[in-house]
Amino acid sequence: MEQRIDRIKKQLHSQSYKLTPQREATVRVLLENEKDHLSAEDVYLLVKEKAPEIGLATVYRTLELLNELEVVDKINFGDGVSRYDLRKEGADHFHHHLVCIECGSVDEIQEDLLGDVEKVVESNWNFKIKDHRLTFHGVCHRCLEQEKKDEEHTGKETNEA
Amino acid sequence: MEQRIDRIKKQLHSQSYKLTPQREATVRVLLENEKDHLSAEDVYLLVKEKAPEIGLATVYRTLELLNELEVVDKINFGDGVSRYDLRKEGADHFHHHLVCIECGSVDEIQEDLLGDVEKVVESNWNFKIKDHRLTFHGVCHRCLEQEKKDEEHTGKETNEA
DNA sequence: GTGATTGCAAATCGTTTGCACCATT
DNA sequence: AATGGTGCAAACGATTTGCAATCAC
């Protein structure tokens, strides 16, 4: 973790930005919650535990800065809030997401599933791909298992499309 | 076009909703601009030309209703506004988008590029896919061609439709 | 009449901005 | 003192909501 903070610090310095205590606290929160998809408000509340005097605006400014530096990716699952996702170091593509329409959970897929698709798009549509966003909406494995259990126990029928 | 309106009308009636003049005008605007990705505000301004007395809130309510009925898809390209895209009749998947980072244009890909990928996701992650969102960010063919031209005869002025 | 639907204005919510203050140089 | 960074509150823009008036059956 310290290494990654150090790396980010250097990245900031290289563009003559500073790693202030507030920024460091924000980055730490992101690192500690790498698996989640925190909104700015979420980050704010978590950072406040470490640095109670921080303002929401500073969190927004920091997240925007980290987004410009490509340390985090800003994503939007259509629920009206932006979420910030730490970019994997060395990852050459943006990971994919599985959004559960039942429990709201968001899981990540690190594998690159789009290699072939991108080749097709670039040649058939003459489009130079720089980035992609792929999100599947459906039912996660936890909810599927839960439903299966519910069926076994109650024998009730479920509606399936 | 009249057939599609009629179909939507029946769909509304089947859930005891009415196709009011305001709703019809909104649907017509969506049908007439099927290729665009209009924001609620865009739709509002266009509907106002046909039905000047309509209110923005009604447009929002209509779009939300149409979204529930799966007549339109609500999409978000990360620019802070929701856009509404008419769902193709008979389409078994949500189409993909090519967002140009230079001119801001949004092109559609109707072909289903994700068939194989979805099979992998469903079996490897045990996730029941109901819908997907795939957007590529990059440079569109128009901008690529423009850049090529600019390189060939440097100094020539640009003109884009 | 009853209930759905509308237009308007006010309210809400996430996000951004203006500005005075603070820290580091 | 110059610069960049901060916190706060106000401003903002997109969307939602409360409500009285209106419409369709």
Side-chain angles (χ1 to χ4, degrees):
Chain A
M1 167 135 148
E2 299 310 317
Q3 306 163 33
R4 290 184 76 176
I5 296 215
D6 219 55
R7 204 121 13 120
I8 290 167
K9 188 174 182 174
K10 283 189 186 113
Q11 225 178 323
L12 282 163
H13 285 164
S14 76
Q15 320 233 355
S16 54
Y17 292 120
K18 297 169 200 163
L19 183 63
T20 62
Q22 291 92 331
R23 286 178 184 166
E24 185 172 335
T26 305
V27 171
R28 280 183 191 279
V29 162
L30 290 172
L31 284 166
E32 286 163 9
N33 297 274
E34 203 161 352
K35 281 277 151 273
D36 294 325
H37 299 81
L38 304 174
S39 66
E41 186 89 30
D42 294 336
V43 174
Y44 172 60
L45 292 173
L46 288 167
V47 175
K48 242 179 142 50
E49 291 173 11
K50 292 174 194 285
E53 68 308 331
I54 201 171
L56 180 55
T58 300
V59 171
Y60 270 104
R61 286 187 277 234
T62 301
L63 290 171
E64 198 202 327
L65 181 59
L66 293 173
N67 186 222
E68 273 167 32
L69 294 177
E70 300 192 326
V71 171
V72 301
D73 280 304
K74 195 174 178 177
I75 37 173
N76 197 304
F77 294 125
D79 58 350
V81 279
S82 291
R83 295 172 185 281
Y84 299 84
D85 218 357
L86 214 48
R87 191 177 272 220
K88 292 284 171 301
E89 288 185 289
D92 60 338
H93 79 104
F94 185 59
H95 54 259
H96 320 306
H97 293 98
L98 302 177
V99 178
C100 181
I101 55 179
E102 302 208 339
C103 69
S105 66
V106 179
D107 295 319
E108 297 187 352
I109 294 183
Q110 297 298 336
E111 275 92 319
D112 186 1
L113 304 170
L114 291 176
D116 293 342
V117 171
E118 295 198 344
K119 275 186 207 126
V120 171
V121 171
E122 293 217 329
S123 65
N124 289 15
W125 278 267
N126 190 23
F127 186 87
K128 180 88 193 105
I129 296 173
K130 301 280 185 183
D131 195 7
H132 59 231
R133 293 288 136 116
L134 174 59
T135 304
F136 292 105
H137 297 252
V139 186
C140 73
H141 64 95
R142 292 171 294 271
C143 289
L144 284 176
E145 276 150 28
Q146 193 57 51
E147 283 171 16
K148 214 168 121 191
K149 268 186 208 154
D150 291 350
E151 271 174 49
E152 280 166 11
H153 294 162
T154 66
K156 260 187 192 171
E157 58 186 59
T158 52
N159 279 354
E160 188 57 64
Chain B
M1 167 135 146
E2 300 309 318
Q3 305 162 34
R4 290 184 75 177
I5 297 214
D6 219 56
R7 204 118 17 117
I8 291 166
K9 187 174 182 174
K10 286 194 184 107
Q11 224 178 325
L12 282 163
H13 285 165
S14 77
Q15 320 234 354
S16 55
Y17 292 120
K18 296 168 201 164
L19 183 64
T20 63
Q22 290 93 331
R23 286 179 183 165
E24 185 172 335
T26 305
V27 171
R28 280 183 191 278
V29 162
L30 291 171
L31 284 167
E32 285 162 11
N33 297 276
E34 203 160 351
K35 280 276 151 273
D36 294 324
H37 299 80
L38 304 174
S39 67
E41 186 88 30
D42 294 337
V43 174
Y44 172 61
L45 293 173
L46 288 168
V47 175
K48 243 179 139 49
E49 291 173 11
K50 293 173 194 284
E53 65 315 327
I54 201 170
L56 181 54
T58 301
V59 171
Y60 271 103
R61 285 187 277 234
T62 302
L63 290 171
E64 198 202 328
L65 182 59
L66 293 173
N67 187 223
E68 273 166 34
L69 293 177
E70 300 191 327
V71 172
V72 301
D73 279 303
K74 195 175 179 177
I75 39 175
N76 197 305
F77 295 125
D79 58 350
V81 278
S82 291
R83 294 173 185 283
Y84 299 85
D85 218 358
L86 215 49
R87 191 175 271 222
K88 293 282 171 305
E89 287 186 289
D92 60 339
H93 80 103
F94 185 58
H95 53 260
H96 319 307
H97 293 98
L98 301 177
V99 178
C100 181
I101 55 180
E102 302 207 339
C103 69
S105 66
V106 179
D107 295 319
E108 297 188 352
I109 295 184
Q110 297 298 334
E111 274 92 318
D112 187 1
L113 304 170
L114 291 176
D116 294 342
V117 171
E118 295 199 344
K119 277 187 205 122
V120 170
V121 171
E122 293 217 330
S123 65
N124 290 13
W125 277 268
N126 190 24
F127 185 88
K128 180 87 191 106
I129 296 173
K130 301 281 186 181
D131 196 7
H132 59 231
R133 294 288 136 116
L134 173 59
T135 304
F136 292 105
H137 297 252
V139 187
C140 73
H141 65 96
R142 291 171 296 270
C143 289
L144 284 175
E145 276 151 28
Q146 194 55 52
E147 281 170 17
K148 215 168 121 191
K149 270 187 207 153
D150 290 351
E151 275 170 45
E152 281 166 11
H153 353 294
T154 347
K156 206 186 175 191
E157 70 183 78
T158 61
N159 215 343
E160 185 57 54

